[in-house]
Amino acid sequence: MAVELLKVDYRTALSSKPNISTSSNIYMTGDGHLFCENLCVKEIQYELAMKTDYASPFYLYSRAQIVDNVQQYKRSLEKNDVPHLLGYTVSANYNLEILRILQKLGCSAVVASINEIKIAMMAGFNPNMMVYNGNGKQLNELEFAVKCGVMINVDSLFDLEHIRKVCRMLHKKANVLMRLHPEIDSDSSQDITETKFGLHHKEFDKALQIVKEEELVDLIGLHCHLETTLDDVQLFKESLDTMLFWVDKVREMGFDIRYLNMGEGIGLNYKRHIPQSDEILPETKDFISSIAEGIKSKNICLILEPGISIVGNTGILVTKVVGVKTNENKNFIVIDGSMAEVIRPSLYGAYHHIQLIEPTMCKKEGCVFDIVGPIGESSDFLAEDYYMPYPHEGCGLAIRDVGAYCGSMSSNYSLRQRPAEVLVEGSRWRIIRHAEVFDDIVKPFIGLPSLGVYKDYIDTTEVHLGTLHPWLTWMH
Ligand SMILES: Cc1ncc(COP(=O)(O)O)c(C=O)c1O
């Protein structure tokens, strides 16, 4: 669409190079512009709007940050000489381009559904090195996994029975790990004695007997996952000690245990952008060194399943301000991003740092706002009671740290179209996922007997659509 969307020329406005040294690849310059690697986020927002009709909001990822995060793992695993599989949890972010990057960096894939197996294979991951998690795997999913040679984490006695049934039907062996409760107090909101995941140790003996008698099921490892954000190295170490105890016990029973899968949960400090925050999390290398000796002493291959710590800090949601309003007790910044793109605040009360991506043109004093989306739900908020400069309409605003469990948890609620995804690589950016269009949303209805009615409706309304670009409202 050849429309002059914004009068500000960000190329000239930003002729001065960023001069702020930072350990993050997404950072604020001294003149109040958010940068990703060498590029100004506002400029990307502007260029994307020129290229596509519905360009806001969009997810933006830094390739350099993905590489840094993987290298942190690789460096400490290699430095400590720990035999390992670094299995990236695909549920955190399944963008195909991001998966390809991770595969090339030497990660394996941890999957939780048949479609995750398929997309991981499309990205080039070796199915024999994949681990398949889940407490409700269906027979058809297990059939696909066994055919592809994926390692399967056994979650329950019935899960084991299903795996056995599939192996017999296919006359094919499956490599399995058993998921156990480490039975330690993780001090999390989740009571691990009530979790729906994994075999309780009382069922474990039974499961071992079944595997012993079944030549098509090969027990090659044990697995645990603490279901909490690990903010304490000691907790990780304690769960390792418990698991090593089980490794010895199971080996004594004659099983050739080659893998110990410690799950993940190494946290990202979402509050690190707040200068006054006293929240400090241990680094990846601290977790690795705490378990390195234990792993090596058992001559076993460590599997890790990180999600958040690989992609969490690599992405932001770039939005714009639709308007600012004040009710009697509250001020609201209404943006074009919503809980449909970043559900973590409303789902878990999670904190995401929020910043304007450019200096505000509004002269009013900053104040405390709720930052909310346009969806008709009061839970549609990105932050509550949050101090911000007073933004002008159309001002760019970024939700930080949305690389994990945001795009992958996004929805079409309120018939929102999932946004585009953009990857920055040094001084270039490119689209790595197209924004959905209305046709994608109505596709599941096409072919139904009543299609004619829908079609007529679309045909008549089409006449009235598409003349007003969302950005025109903010031409200055
Ligand atoms: C079994 C399992 N492994 C690994 C992960 C990844 O955890 P995180 O993204 O916190 O590292 C999850 C997340 O839900 C999980 O359920």
Side-chain angles (χ1 to χ4, degrees):
M1 183 181 277
V3 182
E4 194 199 341
L5 297 171
L6 288 168
K7 286 220 173 118
V8 181
D9 182 348
Y10 289 94
R11 257 159 287 250
T12 49
L14 296 167
S15 52
S16 61
K17 274 257 155 207
N19 58 356
I20 298 248
S21 75
T22 167
S23 59
S24 169
N25 291 288
I26 302 173
Y27 54 94
M28 194 58 93
T29 58
D31 60 358
H33 286 90
L34 191 67
F35 266 65
C36 179
E37 302 189 23
N38 301 329
L39 296 181
C40 171
V41 174
K42 183 69 196 180
E43 196 170 329
I44 299 172
Q45 188 184 42
Y46 169 69
E47 288 174 6
L48 188 68
M50 295 296 280
K51 273 193 177 182
T52 56
D53 277 358
Y54 294 100
S56 182
F58 64 96
Y59 298 99
L60 177 137
Y61 300 102
S62 158
R63 186 182 195 283
Q65 193 61 53
I66 299 172
V67 174
D68 281 359
N69 293 347
V70 172
Q71 278 174 352
Q72 276 197 41
Y73 273 95
K74 287 275 172 194
R75 265 198 299 269
S76 47
L77 287 162
E78 279 156 21
K79 186 174 149 225
N80 286 289
D81 251 340
V82 179
H84 64 271
L85 276 184
L86 185 59
Y88 166 68
T89 291
V90 173
S91 304
N93 188 319
Y94 62 83
N95 182 292
L96 193 50
E97 277 291 323
I98 291 178
L99 293 181
R100 272 190 221 277
I101 294 170
L102 292 168
Q103 189 273 334
K104 288 204 179 94
L105 289 170
C107 294
S108 55
V110 173
V111 292
S113 70
I114 190 167
N115 286 341
E116 286 190 0
I117 299 176
K118 287 180 186 171
I119 203 163
M121 283 167 68
M122 279 173 77
F125 288 100
N126 176 354
N128 299 149
M129 295 293 116
M130 283 184 205
V131 176
Y132 182 16
N133 277 316
N135 63 324
K137 306 173 204 90
Q138 312 254 6
L139 289 177
N140 65 318
E141 296 185 295
L142 287 169
E143 180 184 350
F144 187 72
V146 173
K147 277 184 180 160
C148 296
V150 171
M151 293 184 265
I152 304 172
N153 270 343
V154 176
D155 186 81
S156 60
L157 287 177
F158 78 74
D159 198 28
L160 181 55
E161 270 314 318
H162 291 173
I163 295 167
R164 195 154 78 139
K165 196 183 264 183
V166 166
C167 289
R168 287 183 176 177
M169 187 188 81
L170 297 173
H171 305 289
K172 191 169 183 325
K173 261 195 172 191
N175 286 330
V176 303
L177 293 86
M178 286 198 189
R179 178 169 180 171
L180 299 179
H181 300 302
E183 307 283 338
I184 56 167
D185 178 12
S186 66
D187 199 24
S188 69
S189 53
Q190 173 89 41
D191 178 351
I192 56 165
T193 58
E194 290 184 5
T195 173
K196 67 173 182 171
F197 299 108
L199 282 155
H200 193 272
H201 66 258
K202 287 183 188 143
E203 290 182 338
F204 188 40
D205 279 345
K206 180 95 199 293
L208 290 173
Q209 268 171 33
I210 295 172
V211 174
K212 192 131 227 179
E213 287 158 18
E214 176 55 73
E215 58 179 19
L216 289 176
V217 177
D218 211 356
L219 179 64
I220 58 166
L222 300 183
H223 171 260
C224 77
H225 172 67
L226 284 177
E227 292 170 55
T228 182
T229 298
L230 290 166
D231 51 9
D232 180 4
V233 169
Q234 192 52 29
L235 184 64
F236 200 46
K237 169 87 174 58
E238 275 173 37
S239 63
L240 177 86
D241 292 342
T242 312
M243 293 307 291
L244 291 180
F245 164 83
W246 286 110
V247 167
D248 283 342
K249 251 183 126 52
V250 177
R251 279 179 170 170
E252 277 162 22
M253 294 170 75
F255 291 99
D256 181 16
I257 299 297
R258 285 163 270 155
Y259 294 98
L260 178 55
N261 184 337
M262 289 299 295
E264 257 275 342
I266 292 184
L268 167 63
N269 186 352
Y270 285 89
K271 294 194 174 155
R272 69 194 181 288
H273 312 278
I274 312 173
Q276 315 87 291
S277 167
D278 53 6
E279 195 164 304
I280 297 172
L281 289 187
E283 292 180 38
T284 304
K285 63 178 168 39
D286 304 324
F287 285 101
I288 305 292
S289 3
S290 76
I291 59 167
E293 285 314 311
I295 293 287
K296 286 192 288 186
S297 71
K298 299 293 174 204
N299 195 19
I300 203 164
C301 178
L302 171 70
I303 301 180
L304 291 173
E305 308 182 318
I308 289 183
S309 52
I310 295 286
V311 288
N313 65 351
T314 65
I316 59 177
L317 184 76
V318 184
T319 72
K320 59 184 162 44
V321 173
V322 178
V324 181
K325 70 187 238 183
T326 300
N327 290 346
E328 191 161 328
N329 296 322
K330 283 237 171 210
N331 304 309
F332 297 91
I333 299 176
V334 184
I335 59 173
D336 59 4
S338 73
M339 65 188 286
E341 294 80 38
V342 180
I343 200 173
R344 297 182 77 254
S346 44
L347 191 62
Y348 320 122
Y351 176 87
H352 281 268
H353 199 65
I354 297 185
Q355 287 167 311
L356 300 186
I357 66 172
E358 60 187 316
T360 178
M361 293 185 218
C362 186
K363 298 274 180 293
K364 288 187 189 164
E365 282 290 301
C367 59
V368 173
F369 294 98
D370 279 9
I371 295 148
V372 299
I375 290 180
E377 296 280 343
S378 46
S379 58
D380 180 24
F381 63 87
L382 290 311
E384 288 177 306
D385 298 326
Y386 198 90
Y387 180 84
M388 291 283 286
Y390 207 106
H392 57 273
E393 283 191 9
C395 184
L397 181 147
I399 323 288
R400 300 288 302 258
D401 299 327
V402 303
Y405 308 108
C406 291
S408 59
M409 283 193 175
S410 63
S411 76
N412 290 122
Y413 183 56
S414 209
L415 288 203
R416 290 178 69 79
Q417 299 156 203
R418 284 193 183 78
E421 301 189 9
V422 163
L423 183 72
V424 174
E425 295 166 294
S427 302
R428 292 160 169 259
W429 67 268
R430 65 192 164 96
I431 293 174
I432 56 167
R433 177 179 172 138
H434 294 293
E436 285 179 352
V437 292
F438 182 68
D439 283 0
D440 297 320
I441 293 174
V442 289
K443 199 169 165 213
F445 302 105
I446 305 297
L448 295 176
S450 50
L451 172 68
V453 178
Y454 296 123
K455 189 79 186 121
D456 290 347
Y457 176 74
I458 292 165
D459 281 350
T460 50
T461 53
E462 235 165 24
V463 180
H464 308 291
L465 288 176
T467 51
L468 193 62
H469 192 285
W471 279 79
L472 285 176
T473 330
W474 290 288
M475 281 180 64
H476 295 289

